[in-house]
Amino acid sequence: MGATDLFANETEPREYSDGEVIFRAWDMGAEMYVVLEGKVEITFDEKALETLGPGEPFGEMALIDQAPRTATATAKGPCKLAVIPEKRFLFLVQQRPEFALYLMKIMADRLRKMNERL
């Protein structure tokens, strides 16, 4: 199971144009996102950390630990995103264990990549 399968039929995706900031580091977050179309660049202190494409989630950490965002997300070209508010996120984690496992895998992969850079 991937986020692409789970969010393929979003009825109200949010669209962003090239260079539009989705959220900034240190903002409080009340929603996470999944890229449906296009690309999103994740940066910290103006350094590119990762570029995400269709099916990739981001912004979940703010919902998990209720802390400010740790990076900035910016549209790289036009993109369309599924927006998952906190209430829906909690429902998915409780009712779809495969979703929670998928997010844990994504977070573990990102942590390993960060460790390799250090």
Side-chain angles (χ1 to χ4, degrees):
M1 184 221 101
T4 305
D5 303 330
L6 194 57
F7 301 105
N9 298 318
E10 284 297 299
T11 57
E12 295 183 32
R14 195 174 294 165
E15 296 186 22
Y16 292 86
S17 49
D18 184 34
E20 192 172 351
V21 174
I22 299 157
F23 59 74
R24 295 184 189 286
W26 313 117
D27 287 351
M28 290 305 291
E31 54 200 19
M32 66 167 281
Y33 306 85
V34 176
V35 180
L36 299 175
E37 295 176 15
K39 294 183 179 183
V40 172
E41 185 175 65
I42 307 298
T43 59
F44 183 74
D45 280 343
E46 304 198 20
K47 283 186 186 174
L49 301 176
E50 190 169 19
T51 300
L52 306 174
E56 294 187 276
F58 63 100
E60 71 285 341
M61 282 178 43
L63 297 181
I64 293 170
D65 65 5
Q66 305 298 308
R69 304 269 189 202
T70 59
T72 297
T74 307
K76 293 295 283 182
C79 67
K80 190 180 292 188
L81 308 176
V83 180
I84 296 92
E86 185 175 19
K87 186 174 180 179
R88 183 174 178 200
F89 170 79
L90 293 172
F91 174 82
L92 286 168
V93 167
Q94 292 170 355
Q95 301 299 316
R96 303 284 304 263
E98 67 274 15
F99 174 73
L101 290 170
Y102 175 72
L103 283 182
M104 284 190 269
K105 181 187 178 312
I106 294 291
M107 292 177 71
D109 287 347
R110 289 179 183 158
L111 182 59
R112 287 182 198 282
K113 286 178 189 173
M114 287 297 219
N115 287 340
E116 288 172 7
R117 290 183 197 158
L118 296 178

